[in-house]
Amino acid sequence: MLKIRNVNTYYGAIHAIHDIDVEVNEGEIVSVIGANGAGKSTLMKTIMGIVKPKTGTVEFMGEDITSASTAKIVKNGIVYVPEGRYIFPDLSVADNLMMGAYSQRFSAKELNDLMEEMYEMFPRLRERKKQLGGTLSGGEQQMLAIARGMMSRPKLIMFDEPSLGLAPIIVSEVFDTILKIKEEMQIPIVLVEQNAYKALSISNRCYILENGKVTLSGESAKLINDDNVRKAYLAG
Amino acid sequence: MFAMVTQLIVSGVATGFIYGLTAIEYTLIWNSCGLLNFAHTKTIMFSAYLFVGTFLAIMANAYLPAVICTIICIALFGVLIALIIFIPLRNFTRLIAVMATVMLGTVLNEGAVLIWGSAPMSAGGFLDGRVEIGGVVTSLANIYIIVISVLVTIGLRLFMKKTKPGRAMICVAQDKVAASLMGVEVKRSMALSVAISFAICGLLGCLCAPLFRVQQTMVDMVGLKGFAAGVIGGFGNTTGAIAGGLLLGVVENLACMVVPSMYKDVIAFTLLILFLLVKPNGLISVKKD
């Protein structure tokens, strides 16, 4: 459903990603792993139209979205949960969730049902629904960011480093949630991670980025046993 | 004595709302674009000219339609200014956009002379007259200013809280990247904020027309005190803007009882300096972490 072909993105004179081809199909988790500065976030920003590629195309459900605005891309159904979460600090948890549904036209009842669904999934958020987003802990903010992303009933959801800076027990919780989103809600997922082992173990397919290029891609189950991958990303 | 104090308080409240609305008007642009609009006093002045010199003249003193036309014209002008100044210049150093708004002020100032001439004008019979409520006499203009300002403030608050474009404006003020990831067209939201800010300038122009003689420097002091009101109230939030405006308006009016009224401005700016020294975050501070 998402097809990225031959994309080259620059930051001024810096060539951030080179000739990237990535594809995401219905019902799968695709992970993108690589070191810091490999171009993972640039790839996400290119898909979202936050930075525009110099060459190449991004196609979503048959529509060319290469030059569409971020708002239009969100309306079309791609949701991006960025690294650093980007919670609105001075809005309450409930208002943050509300904003997640901004791009779609829902009736008051649909909105209520959606909120209820999110509170079922993340009981912590219900306890804190009146609290300001900025006062939540890191793990709670990550949960809020995920729930907020789900509020627009996305067709594809992309997580950028969801485990960054979280305690190990919370990290497992985040990955369980991601798996649940794919299995129960049938939403395809793009997962950008530095935690290569976790990413490989929950994804169906994986792309490995190095210096802005895809150096290896394939089924995660195979990559996890590949010697080169083990050496470079899984520390033996 | 009681009547006099009440009268001073009523006119203080009216002037206070003028300061408060001025503070709200530039706060809106500050929140959405991160820039100060140094042309705001000149925009208010220009609106007063447009109201008195053009619309009242054409419409033969049909007050309400003239006010509405003024507000609409200035709001549309605001959209234009958003597209050529605030949106394209926000990503450069602040100084460039600041200079652009100062220049805009000069253009409006000279434009007013060019279009309406250099002789001062008066608003004629607009909001002219006095009312007496329980022994307290005050001008009709004061009553109108208070009622209209309260309605505008409440309306603006409801708009920000209850409507989608309003909520989008709040989000754009807090985090532009996050807002765009929610599907908000950030530039459109910024243009809307500037348009509302200019519409308030248009309204202020109409409300100030009966208070002062309509001339180039008519609201220079209002502009400065509106700025002070924003700082006293707590920079960046609309509730604080009104609170600061009211405090400033009432204090400077009551001060007239003890010091000659020519020292009114001294009182106002002393209050500003006191707040900067003692409570720099203002009456109602926005938490930032």
Side-chain angles (χ1 to χ4, degrees):
Chain A
M1 66 192 316
L2 180 71
K3 291 196 181 94
I4 297 153
R5 285 203 200 94
N6 267 321
V7 160
N8 284 283
T9 304
Y10 292 76
Y11 288 117
I14 300 160
H15 197 166
I17 55 179
H18 299 254
D19 296 322
I20 286 201
D21 285 292
V22 169
E23 206 165 307
V24 183
N25 304 310
E26 295 287 350
E28 63 175 359
I29 298 184
V30 170
S31 56
V32 178
I33 61 178
N36 255 336
K40 302 182 303 283
S41 292
T42 307
L43 175 62
M44 296 299 109
K45 285 179 185 158
T46 308
I47 297 172
M48 290 314 291
I50 298 170
V51 289
K52 302 285 178 205
K54 206 161 199 175
T55 59
T57 55
V58 182
E59 202 184 292
F60 180 61
M61 301 182 82
E63 194 181 332
D64 184 2
I65 55 164
T66 319
S67 52
S69 74
T70 306
K72 172 79 168 53
I73 293 169
V74 176
K75 258 178 207 113
N76 281 7
I78 307 184
V79 158
Y80 175 47
V81 180
E83 181 188 340
R85 302 159 201 136
Y86 287 88
I87 296 298
F88 296 110
D90 297 329
L91 288 189
S92 68
V93 168
D95 286 343
N96 263 288
L97 282 178
M98 269 309 216
M99 272 317 286
Y102 179 89
S103 62
Q104 310 297 325
R105 286 178 187 277
F106 292 131
S107 69
K109 178 168 185 317
E110 280 174 304
L111 266 178
N112 251 325
D113 292 350
L114 265 168
M115 294 275 264
E116 202 46 45
E117 209 177 296
M118 291 309 132
Y119 288 145
E120 289 292 310
M121 205 165 159
F122 306 99
R124 291 286 285 187
L125 295 183
R126 191 198 299 275
E127 289 166 31
R128 311 209 172 247
K129 64 181 171 188
K130 297 226 169 100
Q131 215 170 304
L132 293 186
T135 64
L136 298 184
S137 73
E140 288 165 346
Q141 285 194 358
Q142 188 61 57
M143 292 302 178
L144 177 56
I146 295 174
R148 189 178 63 175
M150 301 295 297
M151 281 292 288
S152 63
R153 292 206 184 284
K155 302 197 177 81
L156 170 74
I157 187 160
M158 310 201 293
F159 296 108
D160 199 343
E161 308 253 4
S163 69
L164 195 76
L166 300 181
I169 186 162
I170 316 269
V171 171
S172 304
E173 219 175 290
V174 168
F175 282 107
D176 287 347
T177 310
I178 291 173
L179 211 54
K180 211 159 133 193
I181 291 172
K182 180 219 159 193
E183 315 235 284
E184 290 176 15
M185 304 182 175
Q186 302 295 328
I187 300 172
I189 289 166
V190 177
L191 175 62
V192 171
E193 260 299 334
Q194 289 215 43
N195 188 338
Y197 182 75
K198 279 274 188 194
L200 282 168
S201 51
I202 75 162
S203 60
N204 304 88
R205 289 189 304 115
C206 176
Y207 293 86
I208 296 179
L209 286 189
E210 254 170 61
N211 296 324
K213 293 179 187 129
V214 175
T215 50
L216 206 56
S217 65
E219 282 177 32
S220 304
K222 280 185 188 153
L223 288 180
I224 210 166
N225 293 314
D226 185 292
D227 282 344
N228 291 330
V229 175
R230 291 187 82 93
K231 245 180 236 147
Y233 297 101
L234 306 173
Chain B
M1 182 68 186
F2 170 76
M4 185 178 149
V5 171
T6 324
Q7 273 166 31
L8 283 174
I9 289 178
V10 171
S11 57
V13 168
T15 350
F17 270 117
I18 296 274
Y19 298 156
L21 282 183
T22 309
I24 285 182
E25 152 261 298
Y26 73 77
T27 295
L28 280 171
I29 292 183
W30 170 257
N31 282 346
S32 77
C33 308
L35 294 170
L36 282 178
N37 174 18
F38 282 95
H40 73 124
T41 35
K42 294 304 174 190
T43 312
I44 298 173
M45 175 276 294
F46 196 86
S47 309
Y49 267 106
L50 187 65
F51 174 60
V52 175
T54 302
F55 288 121
L56 277 188
I58 296 174
M59 294 178 178
N61 293 343
Y63 298 128
L64 187 63
V67 171
I68 292 170
C69 286
T70 307
I71 293 175
I72 292 173
C73 283
I74 295 296
L76 291 178
F77 178 64
V79 174
L80 184 72
I81 294 304
L83 295 180
I84 60 178
I85 294 186
F86 291 112
I87 294 174
L89 297 186
R90 73 185 193 286
N91 293 326
F92 297 100
T93 38
R94 289 260 164 91
L95 193 64
I96 293 178
V98 166
M99 286 314 289
T101 64
V102 172
M103 289 303 122
L104 173 66
T106 313
V107 169
L108 288 174
N109 201 39
E110 302 310 315
V113 182
L114 208 64
I115 301 171
W116 293 287
S118 52
M121 295 187 214
S122 99
F126 179 61
L127 300 188
D128 200 13
R130 288 180 184 287
V131 278
E132 198 190 318
I133 308 164
V136 181
V137 182
T138 185
S139 72
L140 193 61
N142 280 346
I143 301 295
Y144 269 96
I145 287 169
I146 294 172
V147 172
I148 291 171
S149 305
V150 168
L151 291 180
V152 167
T153 316
I154 294 173
L156 196 62
R157 229 186 143 67
L158 286 177
F159 171 78
M160 299 289 253
K161 290 256 166 196
K162 301 285 176 200
T163 70
K164 268 181 119 173
R167 282 206 297 267
M169 276 167 63
I170 295 180
C171 290
V172 167
Q174 288 185 27
D175 192 325
K176 288 181 182 51
V177 175
S180 72
L181 289 177
M182 299 297 107
V184 176
E185 294 279 5
V186 173
K187 286 181 192 168
R188 206 179 295 167
S189 173
M190 288 164 86
L192 178 66
S193 302
V194 177
I196 294 176
S197 167
F198 272 59
I200 296 175
C201 286
L203 174 70
L204 281 168
C206 300
L207 292 177
C208 287
L211 301 183
F212 311 99
R213 290 170 71 74
V214 178
Q215 55 187 347
Q216 269 79 48
T217 54
M218 62 182 278
V219 285
D220 285 3
M221 210 31 119
V222 170
L224 276 176
K225 287 188 190 161
F227 192 82
V231 175
I232 290 171
F235 209 88
N237 83 79
T238 44
T239 321
I242 290 291
L246 289 179
L247 180 71
L248 197 59
V250 171
V251 167
E252 69 170 16
N253 262 281
L254 285 181
C256 295
M257 291 174 67
V258 275
V259 292
S261 66
M262 58 193 285
Y263 290 120
K264 213 165 140 176
D265 299 343
V266 177
I267 302 291
F269 292 112
T270 309
L271 197 65
L272 170 65
I273 292 168
L274 275 178
F275 261 86
L276 284 176
L277 284 174
V278 182
K279 210 170 176 343
N281 284 333
L283 290 169
I284 299 165
S285 62
V286 200
K287 292 167 286 302
K288 280 271 174 285
D289 41 15

